[in-house]
Amino acid sequence: MYIVMVSAECAPIAKAGGLGDFVHGLSRELSIRGNEVEVFLPKYDVLRYDRIAGMTKYHRDLWVPYYDQWIHCDVEYGEVDGLKCCFIEEHAPEAFFRRGKIYGESDDADRFAFFSRAVLECLLKSGKRPDIIHCNDWQTGLVPVLLYEIYQNLGLTNTRVCYTLHNMGHQGIVGEYILRQVGLKPDRLMVMERMLDPHNHRAVNLMKGGIVFSNFVTTVSPRYAWEIQHTDQGMGMQGVLQYHDRKFGGVLNGIDYCVWNPELDTHIPQTFGPDSLPNKAVNKRALRERLGLQEAFKPIVSVVSRLDHQKGVHLIRHGIYYALKNDCQFVLLGSAPDPRVNADFWRIKHEMEGSSDCRLELTYDEELSHLIYAGADMILIPSVYEPCGLTQMIAMKYGAVPIVRRVGGLADTVFDANYSNKAFEERNGYLFDDLTEAGLESALGRAIGLWFSFPDYFRQLRVNGMRADNSWNHPGQQYLDIYNHMRA
Ligand code: ADP
């Protein structure tokens, strides 16, 4: 099959979170299985160019319609870990992709609407006729709309679209001007069955367009699929998803074991696996050394996260004090887009300056994240909601025991050491329900207690997590089944 993946992110060259890992991991899995896969991305100025091999001009002078003008673009081609990538380079006066960042601009909707149109224009003009276009999140929600409203009639006749929802918290709700901008007709689309936002009747909802116009819609875990259809986690889209139930399902994400594998990882000082678990101690020592923590008979509790409301920042904050009070060390790697959250964590960082047991690194650092997973004993993920969550799966692979709230993909991948209907070999962490400090303590307290009092049992939990198969193998097959189903 010929599959085109369209996304705002792809790890490691343009990654803000799990979406980047998803695109990289699934695309590689699909190509390993013999499919022709190409990833389309904006050519951001902040791409990690050092990780792209053989960058060449692939298509010169692609002219993309935009309002009543044409914008001059080039398309470049390069490979990332063997994955074929096409980069849309625009020469617009607005410099859409030359902003020093991936997201967070006031005209993000315009930037990604333009990108969506440019991808289809590129496919059309270069004679590419994919069997499947796989789009992701609100940024590419216009792709299926443009395909069915414009490009199907121009020659992209047999292409089918799969659309994956990674986070209902960001839907791309914007004025109807966005439709005119890319050549669509607002009077056709600003109706409830199509793109009108369910709550704001003057706005268009780009994610809703993606859902309505795609041939199949997925989200990143079965539990989140249920939550967004039946609870307020759907953030207003419950009715739309229920209406389109026949073409909707949850597929649990995998993680790429070529990137996240303690037996092969080149970012950590000592590789290890379930059969050489004592070697993990070398990484724990290295982590302490790197961050200036003391050597002591204490577990390291960690957090690797965007510091966003979604991630339960108030409980992360409480977890720091609770862990320190209970004789643990605490390591946090996170970046906060919200200035108030950022200021709050900087305050805690300053407060901990003299501590030999606590370190907060308020930045984005891919390499350090590997060392934290490899050196930590536990990882704390007290999310308000979590579509899938990769950090619990990565941490488990590195023998760090997850302590998580029972939501979304966390509930699909973490099975409680004490309270689970799973066999003992499948229990791998701790869960709590209440989004309160008491809730968090009920799980973190049990994990810390086990580390100090029953080390053999704690070791067994680590091994259970390391042996769990969270690779892309199963989800890769599930996506191929979905693609085949759409083509039939
Ligand atoms: P989300 O997509 O909501 O941010 P996920 O758990 O799905 O959360 O994915 C997070 C990914 O981003 C993981 O690969 C994690 O290691 C990485 N990550 C998050 N914060 C940081 C950070 N500050 N530095 C390095 N990597 C980070």
Side-chain angles (χ1 to χ4, degrees):
M1 241 183 282
Y2 173 25
I3 301 152
V4 162
M5 187 72 70
V6 190
S7 167
E9 294 183 38
C10 177
I13 54 168
K15 169 172 160 176
L19 170 60
D21 292 298
F22 171 93
V23 169
H24 181 264
L26 175 60
S27 304
R28 267 170 53 91
E29 178 68 27
L30 295 169
S31 357
I32 290 165
R33 288 164 178 259
N35 300 287
E36 175 76 15
V37 183
E38 282 172 344
V39 181
F40 273 75
L41 293 162
K43 188 171 175 240
Y44 303 110
D45 51 0
V46 289
L47 286 177
R48 293 258 327 238
Y49 287 94
D50 57 319
R51 305 288 291 268
I52 307 172
M55 193 77 140
T56 46
K57 278 258 185 305
Y58 162 79
H59 190 117
R60 271 179 207 286
D61 301 332
L62 175 76
W63 290 90
V64 179
Y66 183 68
Y67 281 122
D68 49 359
Q69 349 149 19
W70 293 79
I71 300 283
H72 181 209
C73 297
D74 288 316
V75 185
E76 303 218 350
Y77 170 87
E79 293 193 3
V80 177
D81 301 334
L83 197 60
K84 296 175 178 171
C85 297
C86 296
F87 302 95
I88 304 285
E89 177 181 30
E90 44 66 46
H91 305 294
E94 294 90 342
F96 284 133
F97 308 134
R98 290 165 277 149
R99 305 285 182 88
K101 53 166 97 139
I102 299 177
Y103 307 120
E105 294 285 279
S106 57
D107 61 347
D108 275 0
D110 306 44
R111 298 168 66 219
F112 292 107
F114 175 78
F115 170 63
S116 300
R117 175 103 205 209
V119 169
L120 285 163
E121 196 66 23
C122 175
L123 295 177
L124 181 73
K125 295 275 169 60
S126 53
K128 289 173 184 278
R129 298 294 178 264
D131 298 302
I132 303 295
I133 300 180
H134 192 147
C135 301
N136 298 279
D137 267 355
W138 72 265
Q139 295 90 348
T140 55
L142 278 174
V143 171
V145 187
L146 286 162
L147 179 69
Y148 289 106
E149 293 286 294
I150 299 175
Y151 285 88
Q152 208 164 40
N153 296 327
L154 299 178
L156 286 160
T157 318
N158 296 316
T159 300
R160 299 284 175 266
V161 181
C162 178
Y163 183 56
T164 298
L165 310 171
H166 297 260
N167 191 336
M168 301 304 289
H170 306 274
Q171 298 183 6
I173 299 166
V174 64
E176 65 165 65
Y177 77 90
I178 205 87
L179 300 173
R180 272 192 296 275
Q181 173 178 311
V182 294
L184 291 166
K185 296 193 174 73
D187 50 334
R188 273 179 61 74
L189 296 167
M190 293 290 285
V191 291
M192 203 36 94
E193 323 62 275
R194 297 199 174 124
M195 294 186 74
L196 197 63
D197 185 68
H199 297 299
N200 180 347
H201 290 182
R202 290 222 291 258
V204 50
N205 185 315
L206 300 181
M207 181 177 267
K208 185 175 168 188
I211 295 170
V212 171
F213 282 82
S214 294
N215 301 96
F216 205 90
V217 182
T218 69
T219 188
V220 288
S221 69
R223 169 87 176 213
Y224 192 60
W226 182 87
E227 287 173 351
I228 63 180
Q229 273 191 319
H230 300 290
T231 75
D232 57 8
Q233 295 300 343
M235 311 218 180
M237 296 297 254
Q238 296 91 312
V240 179
L241 290 167
Q242 282 169 25
Y243 184 81
H244 290 282
D245 184 54
R246 283 163 59 89
K247 58 165 192 179
F248 175 60
V251 178
L252 191 65
N253 279 352
I255 54 173
D256 190 337
Y257 285 155
C258 291
V259 179
W260 300 110
N261 189 340
E263 296 182 82
L264 307 170
D265 198 324
T266 51
H267 298 300
I268 59 176
Q270 175 68 60
T271 53
F272 64 99
D275 299 323
S276 51
L277 197 48
N279 288 347
K280 183 174 161 77
V282 178
N283 298 302
K284 186 170 179 177
R285 219 173 302 129
L287 178 61
R288 283 174 165 158
E289 221 164 80
R290 161 108 183 239
L291 299 180
L293 299 179
Q294 64 169 334
E295 265 306 321
F297 179 67
K298 293 180 173 195
I300 299 180
V301 182
S302 66
V303 165
V304 178
S305 183
R306 288 184 296 115
L307 296 172
D308 184 278
H309 168 71
Q310 175 203 336
K311 301 292 180 182
V313 275
H314 63 297
L315 291 185
I316 292 178
R317 192 193 308 121
H318 181 69
I320 298 174
Y321 295 106
Y322 182 80
L324 294 176
K325 203 171 75 197
N326 285 278
D327 268 345
C328 301
Q329 296 185 319
F330 201 99
V331 167
L332 177 145
L333 172 62
S335 49
D338 180 334
R340 271 183 309 183
V341 177
N342 191 36
D344 192 26
F345 277 87
W346 271 100
R347 186 188 56 70
I348 303 172
K349 182 179 167 72
H350 290 313
E351 182 187 324
M352 296 295 169
E353 223 125 68
S355 167
S356 50
D357 285 328
C358 182
R359 213 51 87 223
L360 273 58
E361 294 291 318
L362 299 177
T363 176
Y364 186 92
D365 187 334
E366 188 85 26
E367 279 76 20
L368 178 58
S369 74
H370 284 249
L371 184 59
I372 292 178
Y373 292 121
D377 297 290
M378 303 172 203
I379 186 158
L380 183 60
I381 315 173
S383 302
V384 177
Y385 70 94
E386 193 59 79
C388 177
L390 299 178
T391 53
Q392 81 281 14
M393 295 196 250
I394 301 170
M396 285 195 281
K397 185 72 182 164
Y398 284 75
V401 171
I403 295 114
V404 309
R405 188 153 173 263
R406 196 190 316 273
V407 283
L410 297 171
D412 285 331
T413 50
V414 180
F415 307 112
D416 196 278
N418 308 118
Y419 309 106
S420 164
N421 52 12
K422 292 278 176 187
F424 175 68
E425 305 74 49
E426 290 181 59
R427 299 183 185 194
N428 51 21
Y430 290 89
L431 290 135
F432 64 97
D433 289 288
D434 293 348
L435 191 64
T436 58
E437 295 179 357
L440 174 123
E441 290 176 15
S442 73
L444 185 54
R446 285 185 291 136
I448 296 171
L450 192 79
W451 190 92
F452 279 108
S453 307
F454 298 97
D456 286 347
Y457 187 52
F458 194 88
R459 196 188 65 82
Q460 194 55 49
L461 278 190
R462 293 189 203 264
V463 171
N464 292 352
M466 294 174 91
R467 294 228 159 99
D469 179 6
N470 286 311
S471 69
W472 272 105
N473 185 25
H474 295 299
Q477 186 56 51
Q478 281 175 289
Y479 274 108
L480 283 176
D481 293 345
I482 289 169
Y483 298 161
N484 279 320
H485 169 74
M486 288 192 297
R487 292 169 78 203

